[in-house]
Amino acid sequence: MRFLTLVGLACVCAGAGAEEIKVNPISQASVYTKIKYNWVNRWQHESGLSHTWASLGRWSVGSNLGYTQTYDDIWTKTGWTFGVTFIFKLDARYSLYSKASTAFLGAWKGEHGIRTTLYRGDGFTIGANTGYGHAIPFRSKDRPSWTIGVTLSVPLKELGIK
């Protein structure tokens, strides 16, 4: 894991060149709602607040705070979640992501994959993602957790919040 972090940092430094770090104010945060399915038979719905804190060229870092409802295990797999995501933009529509998240009371989880923007305009964005989730630290006994999701996000400024 440390090796991957060092490789990522080296890529950021090499790709940064003459780029400047752009820091985004919290007023640029978005409200989101997401339907997701992890291919071990678990449907989930997550809603919350997401924000891209800073960017450097094609790289950016953001976080989210949300509430997740797990449909097949409502009483034990439902609750608050917090995540930190690193994003590399491939072009205007596609990006690669790497996310670490926690449900506060449980272990941290990692997810890595690709995102695409399906629609952007009229004050909202619809996106989709697919990725691979795993426990942190990785345990080989865990079943694979491929995931797919569709997200609707609306910037706070569109809701009149400044």
Side-chain angles (χ1 to χ4, degrees):
M1 189 67 173
R2 290 182 188 159
F3 176 73
L4 290 175
T5 303
L6 290 173
V7 169
L9 287 173
C11 290
V12 168
C13 292
E19 299 284 340
E20 287 187 28
I21 294 177
K22 178 183 171 193
V23 179
N24 300 321
I26 192 70
S27 61
Q28 292 184 2
S30 296
V31 174
Y32 71 91
T33 186
K34 178 178 189 174
I35 298 291
K36 54 187 176 178
Y37 179 75
N38 73 13
W39 294 351
V40 289
N41 200 21
R42 176 155 298 159
W43 282 97
Q44 294 180 316
H45 178 251
E46 182 179 327
S47 295
L49 187 67
S50 66
H51 180 56
T52 301
W53 293 101
S55 59
L56 178 64
R58 292 177 166 220
W59 293 90
S60 61
V61 62
S63 62
N64 71 296
L65 175 65
Y67 191 80
T68 301
Q69 172 74 48
T70 303
Y71 294 122
D72 65 334
D73 195 355
I74 294 173
W75 307 113
T76 61
K77 299 292 184 181
T78 295
W80 291 96
T81 182
F82 171 77
V84 176
T85 307
F86 292 91
I87 301 162
F88 179 75
K89 268 186 146 177
L90 298 172
D91 60 21
R93 253 184 104 186
Y94 295 96
S95 58
L96 301 175
Y97 70 93
S98 182
K99 178 178 183 177
S101 63
T102 182
F104 295 108
L105 300 175
W108 282 82
K109 296 188 181 217
E111 184 179 324
H112 319 283
I114 188 166
R115 292 180 177 166
T116 185
T117 301
L118 301 173
Y119 177 80
R120 179 175 288 143
D122 299 325
F124 66 92
T125 302
I126 298 174
N129 72 292
T130 185
Y132 179 79
H134 61 85
I136 296 176
F138 182 77
R139 294 185 291 270
S140 61
K141 66 182 177 193
D142 289 343
R143 292 179 7 190
S145 181
W146 289 97
T147 182
I148 56 174
V150 176
T151 305
L152 168 68
S153 62
V154 179
L156 289 177
K157 63 183 176 184
E158 293 294 329
L159 300 173
I161 301 171
K162 297 182 185 213

Coordinates of all heavy atoms in Angstrom, one line a residue, residues 40-94:
V40 N -22.0 -8.8 -4.9 CA -22.3 -9.9 -4.0 C -23.7 -9.8 -3.4 O -23.9 -10.1 -2.2 CB -21.2 -10.0 -2.9 CG1 -19.9 -10.4 -3.5 CG2 -21.0 -8.7 -2.1
N41 N -24.6 -9.3 -4.2 CA -26.0 -9.2 -3.9 C -26.3 -8.2 -2.8 O -27.0 -8.5 -1.8 CB -26.5 -10.6 -3.5 CG -28.0 -10.6 -3.7 OD1 -28.6 -9.8 -4.4 ND2 -28.7 -11.6 -3.0
R42 N -25.9 -7.0 -2.9 CA -26.2 -5.9 -2.0 C -26.5 -4.6 -2.7 O -25.7 -4.0 -3.2 CB -25.0 -5.7 -1.0 CG -25.3 -4.6 0.0 CD -24.5 -4.7 1.2 NE -24.9 -6.0 1.9 CZ -24.1 -6.6 2.8 NH1 -23.0 -6.1 3.1 NH2 -24.5 -7.7 3.3
W43 N -27.8 -4.2 -2.6 CA -28.2 -3.0 -3.1 C -28.1 -1.9 -2.0 O -28.5 -2.2 -0.9 CB -29.7 -3.0 -3.6 CG -29.8 -3.7 -4.9 CD1 -30.2 -5.0 -5.2 CD2 -29.7 -3.1 -6.2 NE1 -30.2 -5.2 -6.5 CE2 -30.0 -4.0 -7.2 CE3 -29.4 -1.8 -6.6 CZ2 -29.9 -3.8 -8.5 CZ3 -29.3 -1.5 -8.0 CH2 -29.6 -2.5 -8.9
Q44 N -27.6 -0.7 -2.4 CA -27.5 0.3 -1.4 C -27.9 1.6 -2.0 O -27.8 1.8 -3.2 CB -26.1 0.5 -0.9 CG -25.6 -0.7 -0.1 CD -24.1 -0.5 0.3 OE1 -23.3 0.0 -0.4 NE2 -23.9 -0.8 1.6
H45 N -28.4 2.5 -1.2 CA -28.7 3.9 -1.6 C -28.0 4.8 -0.6 O -28.0 4.6 0.6 CB -30.2 4.2 -1.4 CG -30.6 5.6 -1.8 ND1 -31.0 6.5 -0.8 CD2 -30.6 6.2 -3.0 CE1 -31.2 7.6 -1.4 NE2 -31.0 7.5 -2.7
E46 N -27.2 5.8 -1.2 CA -26.4 6.7 -0.3 C -26.8 8.1 -0.7 O -26.9 8.4 -1.9 CB -25.0 6.4 -0.6 CG -24.0 7.3 0.2 CD -22.6 7.0 0.0 OE1 -22.2 5.8 -0.3 OE2 -21.8 7.9 0.0
S47 N -26.9 9.0 0.3 CA -27.2 10.4 0.0 C -26.3 11.2 1.0 O -26.1 10.8 2.1 CB -28.7 10.7 0.3 OG -29.5 10.1 -0.6
G48 N -25.9 12.4 0.5 CA -25.0 13.2 1.4 C -24.5 14.4 0.7 O -25.0 14.9 -0.3
L49 N -23.3 14.8 1.2 CA -22.6 16.0 0.7 C -21.2 15.6 0.2 O -20.5 14.9 0.9 CB -22.5 17.0 1.9 CG -22.0 18.4 1.6 CD1 -23.0 19.2 0.7 CD2 -21.8 19.2 2.9
S50 N -20.9 16.1 -1.0 CA -19.5 15.8 -1.5 C -18.9 17.1 -1.9 O -19.5 18.1 -2.2 CB -19.6 14.9 -2.7 OG -20.2 15.5 -3.8
H51 N -17.5 17.1 -1.8 CA -16.8 18.3 -2.2 C -15.4 18.0 -2.7 O -14.7 17.1 -2.1 CB -16.7 19.2 -0.9 CG -15.9 20.5 -1.1 ND1 -16.3 21.4 -2.1 CD2 -14.8 21.0 -0.5 CE1 -15.5 22.4 -2.0 NE2 -14.5 22.2 -1.1
T52 N -15.0 18.6 -3.8 CA -13.7 18.5 -4.3 C -12.9 19.6 -3.6 O -13.1 20.8 -3.9 CB -13.6 18.6 -5.8 OG1 -14.4 17.6 -6.4 CG2 -12.2 18.5 -6.3
W53 N -12.0 19.3 -2.8 CA -11.2 20.3 -2.0 C -10.2 21.0 -2.8 O -10.0 22.2 -2.7 CB -10.5 19.6 -0.8 CG -11.5 19.1 0.2 CD1 -12.0 17.8 0.3 CD2 -12.3 19.9 1.1 NE1 -12.9 17.7 1.3 CE2 -13.1 19.0 1.8 CE3 -12.3 21.2 1.4 CZ2 -14.0 19.4 2.8 CZ3 -13.2 21.7 2.4 CH2 -14.0 20.8 3.1
A54 N -9.4 20.2 -3.6 CA -8.3 20.9 -4.3 C -8.0 20.1 -5.6 O -8.3 18.9 -5.7 CB -7.0 20.9 -3.5
S55 N -7.4 20.8 -6.6 CA -7.0 20.1 -7.8 C -5.6 20.6 -8.2 O -5.2 21.8 -7.9 CB -8.0 20.3 -8.9 OG -8.2 21.7 -9.2
L56 N -4.9 19.8 -9.0 CA -3.6 20.1 -9.5 C -3.5 19.5 -10.9 O -3.3 18.3 -11.0 CB -2.5 19.6 -8.6 CG -1.0 19.8 -9.1 CD1 -0.7 21.3 -9.1 CD2 -0.1 19.1 -8.1
G57 N -3.7 20.3 -11.9 CA -3.7 19.7 -13.3 C -4.9 18.7 -13.4 O -6.0 19.1 -13.2
R58 N -4.6 17.5 -13.8 CA -5.7 16.5 -13.9 C -6.0 15.8 -12.6 O -6.9 15.0 -12.6 CB -5.2 15.4 -15.0 CG -5.1 16.0 -16.3 CD -4.6 14.9 -17.3 NE -4.8 15.3 -18.6 CZ -5.2 14.5 -19.6 NH1 -5.4 13.2 -19.3 NH2 -5.4 14.9 -20.8
W59 N -5.3 16.0 -11.6 CA -5.5 15.4 -10.3 C -6.3 16.2 -9.4 O -6.3 17.4 -9.4 CB -4.1 15.2 -9.6 CG -3.3 14.2 -10.3 CD1 -2.3 14.5 -11.2 CD2 -3.2 12.8 -10.1 NE1 -1.7 13.3 -11.7 CE2 -2.3 12.3 -10.9 CE3 -3.9 11.9 -9.2 CZ2 -2.0 10.9 -11.0 CZ3 -3.6 10.6 -9.3 CH2 -2.7 10.1 -10.2
S60 N -7.2 15.6 -8.6 CA -7.9 16.3 -7.6 C -8.2 15.4 -6.4 O -8.1 14.2 -6.5 CB -9.3 16.8 -8.2 OG -10.1 15.7 -8.6
V61 N -8.5 16.0 -5.3 CA -8.8 15.3 -4.0 C -10.1 15.9 -3.5 O -10.3 17.1 -3.5 CB -7.7 15.3 -3.0 CG1 -7.4 16.8 -2.6 CG2 -8.0 14.4 -1.8
G62 N -11.0 15.0 -3.0 CA -12.3 15.4 -2.4 C -12.7 14.5 -1.3 O -12.0 13.5 -1.0
S63 N -13.8 14.8 -0.7 CA -14.4 13.9 0.3 C -15.9 13.9 0.2 O -16.5 14.7 -0.5 CB -13.9 14.4 1.7 OG -14.4 15.7 1.9
N64 N -16.5 13.0 1.0 CA -17.9 13.0 1.1 C -18.4 12.5 2.5 O -17.6 11.8 3.2 CB -18.5 12.0 0.0 CG -18.3 10.6 0.3 OD1 -17.1 10.1 0.3 ND2 -19.3 9.8 0.6
L65 N -19.5 13.0 2.9 CA -20.2 12.5 4.1 C -21.6 12.2 3.7 O -22.3 13.0 3.2 CB -20.1 13.6 5.1 CG -20.9 13.3 6.4 CD1 -20.2 12.2 7.2 CD2 -20.9 14.6 7.3
G66 N -22.0 11.0 4.0 CA -23.3 10.5 3.5 C -23.9 9.5 4.5 O -23.3 9.0 5.4
Y67 N -25.1 9.2 4.2 CA -25.9 8.2 4.9 C -26.2 7.1 3.9 O -26.8 7.3 2.9 CB -27.2 8.7 5.6 CG -27.8 7.8 6.5 CD1 -27.3 7.7 7.8 CD2 -28.9 7.0 6.1 CE1 -27.9 6.8 8.7 CE2 -29.4 6.1 7.0 CZ -28.9 6.0 8.3 OH -29.5 5.1 9.2
T68 N -25.8 5.8 4.3 CA -26.1 4.7 3.4 C -27.1 3.8 3.9 O -27.1 3.4 5.1 CB -24.7 3.9 3.2 OG1 -23.7 4.8 2.7 CG2 -24.9 2.8 2.2
Q69 N -28.1 3.4 3.1 CA -29.1 2.5 3.4 C -28.9 1.2 2.6 O -28.8 1.2 1.4 CB -30.5 3.1 3.0 CG -31.6 2.1 3.1 CD -32.1 1.9 4.5 OE1 -32.2 2.8 5.3 NE2 -32.2 0.6 4.9
T70 N -28.6 0.1 3.3 CA -28.4 -1.2 2.6 C -29.7 -2.0 2.6 O -30.3 -2.2 3.7 CB -27.3 -2.0 3.4 OG1 -26.1 -1.2 3.4 CG2 -27.0 -3.3 2.7
Y71 N -30.2 -2.3 1.5 CA -31.6 -2.8 1.4 C -31.7 -4.3 1.9 O -32.7 -4.6 2.4 CB -32.1 -2.7 -0.1 CG -32.3 -1.3 -0.5 CD1 -31.6 -0.8 -1.6 CD2 -33.1 -0.4 0.2 CE1 -31.8 0.5 -2.0 CE2 -33.3 0.9 -0.1 CZ -32.6 1.4 -1.2 OH -32.8 2.7 -1.6
D72 N -30.7 -5.1 1.8 CA -30.8 -6.5 2.2 C -30.4 -6.7 3.6 O -30.5 -7.8 4.1 CB -30.1 -7.4 1.2 CG -28.6 -7.2 1.2 OD1 -28.1 -6.1 1.6 OD2 -27.9 -8.1 0.9
D73 N -29.9 -5.7 4.3 CA -29.5 -5.9 5.7 C -29.7 -4.5 6.4 O -28.7 -3.9 6.8 CB -28.0 -6.3 5.8 CG -27.7 -6.8 7.2 OD1 -28.5 -6.7 8.1 OD2 -26.5 -7.3 7.4
I74 N -30.9 -4.1 6.5 CA -31.3 -2.7 7.0 C -30.7 -2.5 8.4 O -30.3 -1.4 8.7 CB -32.8 -2.5 6.9 CG1 -33.3 -2.6 5.5 CG2 -33.2 -1.2 7.6 CD1 -34.7 -2.5 5.3
W75 N -30.8 -3.4 9.3 CA -30.5 -3.2 10.7 C -29.0 -3.1 11.0 O -28.6 -2.4 12.0 CB -31.2 -4.2 11.6 CG -32.6 -4.3 11.2 CD1 -33.3 -5.3 10.7 CD2 -33.6 -3.2 11.4 NE1 -34.6 -5.0 10.5 CE2 -34.8 -3.7 10.9 CE3 -33.6 -1.9 11.9 CZ2 -36.0 -3.0 10.9 CZ3 -34.7 -1.2 11.9 CH2 -35.9 -1.7 11.4
T76 N -28.2 -3.8 10.3 CA -26.7 -3.8 10.7 C -25.8 -3.1 9.6 O -24.7 -2.8 10.0 CB -26.2 -5.2 10.9 OG1 -26.4 -6.0 9.7 CG2 -27.0 -5.9 12.0
K77 N -26.2 -2.9 8.4 CA -25.4 -2.4 7.4 C -25.8 -1.0 6.9 O -25.6 -0.6 5.8 CB -25.3 -3.3 6.2 CG -24.7 -4.7 6.5 CD -23.3 -4.6 6.8 CE -22.7 -6.0 7.0 NZ -21.3 -6.0 7.4
T78 N -26.5 -0.3 7.7 CA -27.0 1.0 7.4 C -26.4 2.0 8.3 O -26.2 1.8 9.5 CB -28.6 1.1 7.5 OG1 -29.1 0.2 6.6 CG2 -29.1 2.4 7.3
G79 N -26.0 3.2 7.8 CA -25.4 4.2 8.7 C -24.6 5.2 7.9 O -24.6 5.3 6.7
W80 N -23.9 6.1 8.7 CA -23.1 7.2 8.2 C -21.9 6.7 7.6 O -21.3 5.7 8.0 CB -22.8 8.2 9.3 CG -24.0 8.9 9.7 CD1 -24.8 8.6 10.8 CD2 -24.6 10.1 9.1 NE1 -25.9 9.5 10.8 CE2 -25.7 10.4 9.8 CE3 -24.3 10.8 7.9 CZ2 -26.5 11.5 9.5 CZ3 -25.1 11.9 7.6 CH2 -26.2 12.2 8.4
T81 N -21.4 7.3 6.5 CA -20.1 7.0 5.9 C -19.3 8.3 5.5 O -19.9 9.3 5.3 CB -20.4 6.1 4.6 OG1 -19.1 5.8 4.0 CG2 -21.2 6.9 3.6
F82 N -18.0 8.1 5.6 CA -17.1 9.2 5.2 C -16.1 8.7 4.3 O -15.6 7.6 4.6 CB -16.5 9.8 6.5 CG -15.4 10.8 6.2 CD1 -15.7 12.1 5.7 CD2 -14.1 10.5 6.3 CE1 -14.8 13.0 5.4 CE2 -13.1 11.4 6.0 CZ -13.4 12.7 5.5
G83 N -15.7 9.4 3.3 CA -14.7 8.9 2.4 C -13.8 10.1 1.8 O -14.2 11.2 1.8
V84 N -12.6 9.7 1.5 CA -11.6 10.6 0.8 C -11.3 10.0 -0.5 O -11.0 8.8 -0.6 CB -10.4 10.8 1.7 CG1 -9.4 11.6 0.9 CG2 -10.7 11.4 3.0
T85 N -11.4 10.8 -1.6 CA -11.2 10.3 -3.0 C -10.2 11.0 -3.7 O -10.1 12.3 -3.7 CB -12.5 10.4 -3.7 OG1 -13.6 9.7 -3.0 CG2 -12.4 9.7 -5.1
F86 N -9.3 10.3 -4.4 CA -8.3 10.9 -5.3 C -8.7 10.6 -6.7 O -9.1 9.5 -7.0 CB -6.9 10.3 -5.1 CG -6.3 10.7 -3.7 CD1 -6.5 10.0 -2.6 CD2 -5.6 11.9 -3.6 CE1 -6.0 10.4 -1.4 CE2 -5.1 12.3 -2.4 CZ -5.3 11.5 -1.3
I87 N -8.7 11.6 -7.6 CA -9.3 11.5 -8.9 C -8.2 11.9 -9.9 O -7.5 12.9 -9.8 CB -10.5 12.3 -9.1 CG1 -11.6 11.9 -8.0 CG2 -11.1 12.3 -10.5 CD1 -12.7 12.9 -7.8
F88 N -8.1 11.2 -11.0 CA -7.3 11.5 -12.2 C -8.2 11.6 -13.4 O -8.8 10.6 -13.8 CB -6.2 10.5 -12.4 CG -5.4 10.8 -13.6 CD1 -4.4 11.8 -13.5 CD2 -5.5 10.2 -14.8 CE1 -3.6 12.2 -14.6 CE2 -4.7 10.5 -15.9 CZ -3.8 11.5 -15.8
K89 N -8.3 12.8 -14.0 CA -9.2 13.1 -15.1 C -8.5 12.5 -16.4 O -7.4 12.9 -16.7 CB -9.5 14.6 -15.3 CG -10.7 15.1 -14.7 CD -10.9 16.5 -15.0 CE -12.3 16.8 -15.1 NZ -12.6 18.1 -15.4
L90 N -9.2 11.7 -17.1 CA -8.7 11.2 -18.4 C -9.1 12.2 -19.5 O -8.3 12.4 -20.4 CB -9.3 9.8 -18.7 CG -8.9 8.7 -17.7 CD1 -9.7 7.4 -18.0 CD2 -7.4 8.5 -17.7
D91 N -10.3 12.7 -19.5 CA -10.8 13.7 -20.4 C -12.0 14.4 -19.7 O -12.2 14.2 -18.5 CB -11.1 13.1 -21.8 CG -12.2 12.0 -21.7 OD1 -13.0 12.0 -20.8 OD2 -12.2 11.2 -22.7
A92 N -12.8 15.1 -20.5 CA -13.9 15.8 -19.9 C -15.0 14.9 -19.4 O -15.7 15.3 -18.5 CB -14.5 16.7 -21.0
R93 N -15.1 13.7 -19.8 CA -16.1 12.7 -19.4 C -15.7 11.7 -18.4 O -16.4 11.2 -17.6 CB -16.7 12.1 -20.6 CG -18.1 12.6 -21.0 CD -18.7 11.8 -22.1 NE -19.7 10.9 -21.6 CZ -20.3 10.0 -22.3 NH1 -20.0 9.8 -23.6 NH2 -21.2 9.2 -21.8
Y94 N -14.5 11.2 -18.6 CA -14.0 10.0 -17.8 C -12.9 10.4 -16.8 O -12.1 11.2 -17.1 CB -13.5 8.9 -18.8 CG -14.5 8.4 -19.7 CD1 -14.7 8.9 -21.0 CD2 -15.4 7.3 -19.2 CE1 -15.7 8.3 -21.8 CE2 -16.4 6.8 -20.1 CZ -16.5 7.3 -21.3 OH -17.5 6.8 -22.1

